[in-house]
Amino acid sequence: EFQVSKHGTLLKSGGVCLDDGTPRRHEAVHTFTSFLQPNGAINHFHIPFHTLSMSSTAEKDINLQNKIFATVDNKSEEGERFLEEVFRYFQEIRNLRLRTSTLLKLIGNGQLDLQESLQLLSKLRGENPSSKDEDNLAKSMEVKIYSNKLNKVYELLNLYAECTSRMEADSFEPTLENLTECLAQLSEADKEPLFKLISDSSTDKDALSLNLTATQFLNAFDTDGELMRSSAAGKRSPSIGLRKDIDPKIRQELAKFFCKLSMLDSAEDILLSSGISTSEILDTVLASALRFPNQTCQWFYNLAKCFIALLTVKEGSDDRSVSSLQELSKRLILKAKIDENLYCVILLWMNALRSVDAPHAYIDDWSRRLHQTTGMVELLSTFKSLLAKTKPNHVDLSKTTSSYSLHSVYDCGNGRVTELVSTWLHKLGSCSLNLPANMDGLNETVELSLITKVSDYFPKSMDVNVLVVHMAWDELQTWHTQDRNDMASLETALLSLSAITCTKLKVMFSQLIWRTFFAKLFRDIVKRTDDFKKSSMNETSICDKEFGIRRDNLACFLRLILAFLDKSLELLRFGELPDVYVEYDNFSLNGQKHLLDHALAGEPPDIDILSLEHQFCVVLYLTWKLKLPSRPLKLFNSVEINNLIKTNTTAVISWFSDYNTSVRTERISWTGLVSETAAGYIHRLPDSQLDSKDYKELMAPVLQLSKVWFLSDVVRVGQCHALYIAGFDSLGSEIRNTFSSLELDKLGEKLMDVVLLRIAKYLHQDPDTAQVATIPAEVVTEVAARRDRSSTVADTPLTDTRELLKWLTET
């Protein structure tokens, strides 16, 4: 029980649980302090969070801030005394962060002009401990940060005020004579492109006027962070850095500011005392010069003076500023777009290095870069003119060269130029197959014009063999990654290999093409074709998904691959390959390897493996072309299958063992089926002529394959037999006349069967019409036995059958 007065009692407890009496509320109420009313009701205290964090000091500081803003707004009424009052209010603000933010708002909002801001900053800095006792005082870190920010803001505004006032007083406008005098250490040949650019320029001179306010200048720098730094003389100076997220337009104005600053007397001392790093100044100036080119004499003169001033600044006894600025300039310039403006920037930077007696290695390096820029600008100009001539409706010529920099062209290996020219030739509408003919020099072509120009700088890289290799590779990459059903592009790339006159390069490059584009795809087609013949599948969907080739294009693809392998195999049969006499021009210090290097670095193909791949390709091509039901893997033994598909990589593979005795039977059956099916591609023409072009193209790989399988006689006999079955006796007799006596013995039996089948078909082809024939009795039985099979032979005149029978009786 509690003794409760008529006004209630304040309850205090160390975190107890109270029952507030609410019905059906089972959870307890945790409380530390509550009020018990006389009627027994308990009131809990809910205190707003902000009231706990608000103190009387904070309220006072906020009120002082409001008074400062009000005083500044009414400064016209109070006259010059308002700064004293504002300074007094600042002194009373205890929160240093609030004091700093208030000061920056006054400056940023333009409530205080430049001189008023400097006066107020000077007063606020004066209230801090003097520099003599500063190091001996045990100041808190917050006070140090506040003092550091004040010093940085004051130094920046003071720098801006001093420089802008001196710039306005200086009315000097440099002329071509001044620029020539500044660039006196350069040769006339090097300066000529710069002066030509100035004379052709239409840049407005007002573009050099400075449009940078004090607030914009101040906001471009980071006034937080690092504290004051000690200089070599024992003095303390601010270390001020630029912000990373500066607007490009503001960065451009900053570059103008620093260039104009470099024109002032004692510019080096001003830069050194400002606390701004020379590396950041050079970064700003170079980035602006490369991104926003200005082709006036005044800009180039200011830029040259700025480079010299930055290189002259010495920041200590052990100064490495020249080497650090050299590295910074390389990082920016080498990644900039190659054009006339880049040439001028490199020229002015090289002039500055010579003016300060920089190491000769730096100057020689930029001299080499200057020559590279000159050559590339000329090549790009030639390419643009040819592209405009070839494709006058091209929407934007600038996009074709926007990605080229000194680093991406000259620091990426010796083969980079050939890659670029290959890309340009394709954009001009050329291809690897037409290139050799367009370079013969008989006619003026865009290919000849471009390559002749590039050859002045890179003669070895413009060899027709090297160019064909790169162009064919680009076309194969486009086919492989974009549209594998574009058989015309694939055929163009593969046919162009015949233009390579260096035999070893042709063989090694063909091997690289096979490994990169065709080897895996070919093995997948082998396995999937065998699966298609074993069971019913959605062949169209599988071909599109797994091969990226439509089902009706597979035969054409395999025909092209067969011709490619056939040429490679033919070159390897010549024996030892001769030495390669083609190479890139050696102009890059980067040892990065390119296409020619990779092609020649590999091992020559194994003729046994290549022959096996050729055999598989013949089988696959004819299977898809003639729509044969045969399974391709049944025509090869387990050793050959393993060597192609690599199903058992750990086993010792021998070429002279055969684990499948039925392979020969399958091969004989398959060649016979091909001979019969291929005969259907012979077409009869008027005047008893035959069109056998397609037939001969289909049978040529089979006859070649029969020699490898040691079935040449069997295939030739089967081919001749199939022609007589199909009724093409004239073609059959042409092949028959080339047979040996052994082959004629095998063929005689088959042709006698054909004669009997023809007679049986003639006698029994129309049951309703009586056929009168006088034949020996012993032949009647043979003819009757072949009545059911007589439909397998084509209709043939009796005269042809008589001639065939006559030949059989004479042999």
Side-chain angles (χ1 to χ4, degrees):
E1 295 182 359
F2 297 93
Q3 295 295 328
V4 180
S5 66
K6 62 180 181 178
H7 300 294
T9 302
L10 182 65
L11 304 179
K12 293 183 178 181
S13 174
V16 299
C17 296
L18 299 178
D19 184 4
D20 59 356
T22 303
R24 294 182 301 277
R25 181 170 178 174
H26 303 290
E27 64 272 14
V29 179
H30 295 267
T31 183
F32 287 89
T33 304
S34 58
F35 185 80
L36 179 63
Q37 296 185 12
N39 60 2
I42 297 177
N43 296 331
H44 299 285
F45 293 98
H46 299 279
I47 304 174
F49 180 77
H50 69 274
T51 61
L52 298 177
S53 60
M54 179 65 72
S55 63
S56 58
T57 303
E59 292 179 358
K60 181 180 178 182
D61 288 348
I62 292 176
N63 293 331
L64 288 171
Q65 183 188 44
N66 294 332
K67 289 180 180 180
I68 290 173
F69 291 147
T71 304
V72 174
D73 290 340
N74 300 324
K75 64 180 180 179
S76 58
E77 301 176 1
E78 300 185 13
E80 297 181 355
R81 295 181 303 170
F82 88 96
L83 276 180
E84 296 293 338
E85 190 172 353
V86 169
F87 173 63
R88 181 169 57 81
Y89 288 148
F90 267 107
Q91 285 182 312
E92 295 178 8
I93 295 179
R94 302 291 299 275
N95 191 327
L96 297 180
R97 293 186 179 180
L98 183 63
R99 188 187 296 188
T100 303
S101 64
T102 304
L103 177 63
L104 294 179
K105 284 182 180 179
L106 291 175
I107 300 174
N109 296 336
Q111 294 173 281
L112 295 177
D113 59 26
L114 183 57
Q115 294 301 323
E116 292 170 347
S117 300
L118 287 173
Q119 291 178 25
L120 181 58
L121 283 168
S122 180
K123 291 177 178 293
L124 291 174
R125 293 176 71 216
E127 71 167 338
N128 293 328
S130 62
S131 59
K132 295 181 180 180
D133 303 329
E134 186 176 354
D135 294 335
N136 299 325
L137 294 175
K139 297 169 58 179
S140 66
M141 181 57 67
E142 188 175 2
V143 175
K144 290 182 179 180
I145 293 175
Y146 167 72
S147 301
N148 179 67
K149 196 174 190 70
L150 281 182
N151 290 328
K152 287 185 176 182
V153 173
Y154 177 80
E155 293 291 345
L156 288 172
L157 291 179
N158 187 48
L159 174 66
Y160 179 84
E162 180 182 359
C163 293
T164 51
S165 61
R166 294 176 62 179
M167 290 174 192
E168 293 174 357
D170 188 5
S171 59
F172 172 71
E173 290 189 7
T175 61
L176 282 175
E177 290 75 12
N178 300 124
L179 182 59
T180 304
E181 183 181 354
C182 182
L183 305 179
Q185 300 191 50
L186 299 175
S187 65
E188 294 297 328
D190 291 340
K191 291 185 290 186
E192 182 180 355
L194 184 141
F195 290 133
K196 183 178 184 302
L197 193 63
I198 294 175
S199 63
D200 297 341
S201 173
S202 59
T203 307
D204 187 5
K205 293 185 178 180
D206 294 337
L208 287 176
S209 59
L210 187 63
N211 300 313
L212 184 67
T213 64
T215 303
Q216 292 173 334
F217 181 77
L218 181 62
N219 292 335
F221 293 89
D222 185 9
T223 54
D224 296 324
E226 187 178 356
L227 300 180
M228 305 291 287
R229 63 178 181 180
S230 297
S231 63
K235 298 180 180 181
R236 298 178 67 84
S237 60
S239 176
I240 306 174
L242 285 164
R243 296 184 185 275
K244 303 299 182 184
D245 54 347
I246 305 177
D247 184 83
K249 294 295 183 182
I250 301 298
R251 187 179 290 273
Q252 183 183 10
E253 296 300 325
L254 281 175
K256 296 178 186 177
F257 176 85
F258 289 128
C259 286
K260 289 180 177 292
L261 187 154
S262 303
M263 300 285 295
L264 303 177
D265 296 334
S266 64
E268 294 81 4
D269 296 334
I270 296 176
L271 290 173
L272 185 60
S273 60
S274 67
I276 306 174
S277 171
T278 54
S279 297
E280 293 193 335
I281 296 176
L282 180 62
D283 184 289
T284 302
V285 173
L286 273 180
S288 177
L290 295 171
R291 185 171 182 179
F292 305 101
N294 191 311
Q295 299 170 355
T296 61
C297 175
Q298 184 179 354
W299 169 249
F300 287 136
Y301 183 82
N302 293 349
L303 199 60
K305 286 294 185 182
C306 182
F307 288 161
I308 294 174
L310 292 174
L311 289 170
T312 308
V313 174
K314 305 295 182 183
E315 297 182 345
S317 56
D318 186 18
D319 181 61
R320 297 181 181 176
S321 59
V322 175
S323 59
S324 62
L325 294 181
Q326 164 72 0
E327 293 301 319
L328 174 62
S329 63
K330 287 176 63 177
R331 188 173 71 248
L332 294 175
I333 293 176
L334 296 185
K335 294 183 179 180
K337 174 186 174 183
I338 297 178
D339 54 12
E340 296 85 352
N341 180 65
L342 179 65
Y343 176 89
C344 297
V345 172
I346 295 176
L347 185 70
L348 297 177
W349 179 250
M350 188 173 69
N351 174 72
L353 290 172
R354 286 181 176 176
S355 301
V356 299
D357 294 329
H360 290 291
Y362 296 168
I363 300 173
D364 293 341
D365 184 36
W366 285 116
S367 179
R368 180 172 62 90
R369 295 297 185 181
L370 197 68
H371 175 72
Q372 293 175 346
T373 306
T374 304
M376 200 61 192
V377 167
E378 190 172 351
L379 297 183
L380 290 173
S381 176
T382 302
F383 168 62
K384 286 182 179 180
S385 63
L386 291 174
L387 187 62
K389 178 182 177 181
T390 307
K391 300 181 179 180
N393 298 325
H394 201 279
V395 289
D396 190 0
L397 292 177
S398 62
K399 292 183 179 180
T400 60
T401 58
S402 59
S403 60
Y404 300 142
S405 64
L406 289 173
H407 176 73
S408 65
V409 174
Y410 294 101
D411 293 344
C412 294
N414 294 325
R416 178 58 177 157
V417 170
T418 311
E419 292 178 351
L420 294 180
V421 174
S422 173
T423 303
W424 294 348
L425 289 171
H426 280 117
K427 289 182 178 180
L428 291 172
S430 182
C431 66
S432 58
L433 185 60
N434 298 334
L435 181 66
N438 292 332
M439 287 179 60
D440 58 8
L442 299 179
N443 298 316
E444 186 66 25
T445 60
V446 291
E447 294 91 345
L448 183 61
S449 300
L450 178 62
I451 294 171
T452 302
K453 192 65 176 179
V454 181
S455 298
D456 295 340
Y457 297 93
F458 310 100
K460 294 181 180 179
S461 299
M462 292 300 102
D463 183 86
V464 64
N465 293 284
V466 181
L467 286 173
V468 168
V469 165
H470 276 269
M471 292 187 71
W473 185 264
D474 291 343
E475 291 161 2
L476 287 170
Q477 281 188 318
T478 302
W479 169 84
H480 191 263
T481 57
Q482 295 183 11
D483 185 10
R484 295 189 185 181
N485 289 298
D486 187 3
M487 296 299 153
S489 298
L490 177 61
E491 185 175 14
T492 297
L494 295 181
L495 289 177
S496 66
L497 300 182
S498 59
I500 302 176
T501 58
C502 180
T503 305
K504 184 174 183 180
L505 176 60
K506 186 187 298 186
V507 171
M508 301 299 290
F509 182 54
S510 300
Q511 175 69 0
L512 181 63
I513 289 175
W514 177 260
R515 294 200 313 264
T516 306
F517 299 108
F518 301 139
K520 183 180 182 304
L521 179 60
F522 181 73
R523 291 196 297 269
D524 293 341
I525 293 176
V526 170
K527 291 184 285 188
R528 271 305 186 182
T529 303
D530 198 72
D531 294 338
F532 292 157
K533 304 306 177 183
K534 287 192 296 185
S535 58
S536 177
M537 295 183 181
N538 189 346
E539 298 181 12
T540 302
S541 176
I542 293 176
C543 290
D544 288 339
K545 183 178 180 180
E546 297 187 10
F547 308 149
I549 303 175
R550 292 196 302 269
R551 183 181 182 277
D552 53 348
N553 282 337
L554 267 180
C556 180
F557 169 74
L558 291 169
R559 175 180 61 82
L560 297 176
I561 297 303
L562 177 60
F564 171 75
L565 290 174
D566 198 17
K567 292 180 180 178
S568 300
L569 196 59
E570 183 179 354
L571 290 173
L572 282 179
R573 288 175 181 151
F574 289 149
E576 186 177 354
L577 299 174
D579 293 334
V580 177
Y581 56 85
V582 292
E583 61 180 353
Y584 296 122
D585 290 281
N586 187 14
F587 60 86
S588 178
L589 300 179
N590 189 326
Q592 179 178 341
K593 293 184 179 297
H594 283 265
L595 181 59
L596 195 62
D597 305 315
H598 288 296
L600 297 176
E603 292 293 330
D606 188 332
I607 191 170
D608 293 328
I609 295 293
L610 188 60
S611 175
L612 178 62
E613 292 168 342
H614 181 267
Q615 296 172 44
F616 268 96
C617 194
V618 171
V619 173
L620 282 180
Y621 166 60
L622 294 175
T623 299
W624 282 96
K625 177 67 177 179
L626 303 178
K627 299 180 176 58
L628 303 180
S630 308
R631 290 178 54 189
L633 294 184
K634 279 185 168 288
L635 305 180
F636 298 90
N637 59 44
S638 56
V639 178
E640 293 169 333
I641 295 173
N642 184 76
N643 277 283
L644 179 75
I645 307 180
K646 305 294 189 297
T647 56
N648 184 15
T649 57
T650 59
V652 178
I653 305 302
S654 172
W655 289 101
F656 305 101
S657 59
D658 191 346
Y659 303 110
N660 193 345
T661 56
S662 64
V663 169
R664 179 179 174 84
T665 304
E666 292 288 344
R667 289 177 175 178
I668 294 175
S669 175
W670 181 81
T671 53
L673 182 60
V674 171
S675 298
E676 294 175 6
T677 310
Y681 285 79
I682 303 175
H683 307 287
R684 297 186 183 276
L685 301 176
D687 300 330
S688 302
Q689 299 296 319
L690 296 177
D691 180 9
S692 59
K693 179 181 178 182
D694 294 339
Y695 171 76
K696 292 179 179 179
E697 290 179 353
L698 291 172
M699 288 304 299
V702 180
L703 295 174
Q704 184 180 4
L705 188 61
S706 65
K707 297 177 183 179
V708 181
W709 286 351
F710 301 102
L711 296 174
S712 181
D713 56 339
V714 176
V715 172
R716 281 163 52 84
V717 170
Q719 179 189 10
C720 187
H721 177 244
L723 289 174
Y724 278 102
I725 288 286
F728 301 111
D729 291 20
S730 58
L731 294 177
S733 61
E734 292 178 5
I735 301 174
R736 183 190 66 195
N737 294 333
T738 63
F739 282 7
S740 63
S741 58
L742 181 61
E743 292 173 334
L744 289 176
D745 292 341
K746 296 179 181 179
L747 180 62
E749 299 177 3
K750 293 180 177 291
L751 294 186
M752 180 58 72
D753 183 66
V754 172
V755 170
L756 293 174
L757 286 172
R758 289 181 179 180
I759 295 174
K761 185 172 185 178
Y762 181 76
L763 294 176
H764 305 289
Q765 61 182 352
D766 191 353
D768 298 331
T769 303
Q771 301 291 337
V772 180
T774 303
I775 56 177
E778 59 269 18
V779 180
V780 174
T781 305
E782 296 293 334
V783 172
R786 289 169 172 79
R787 178 177 181 179
D788 294 338
R789 293 194 298 118
S790 62
S791 60
T792 59
V793 295
D795 293 334
T796 310
L798 284 178
T799 55
D800 292 344
T801 305
R802 185 188 62 187
E803 292 297 328
L804 176 60
L805 188 58
K806 180 180 177 181
W807 177 82
L808 288 173
T809 57
E810 291 176 355
T811 55

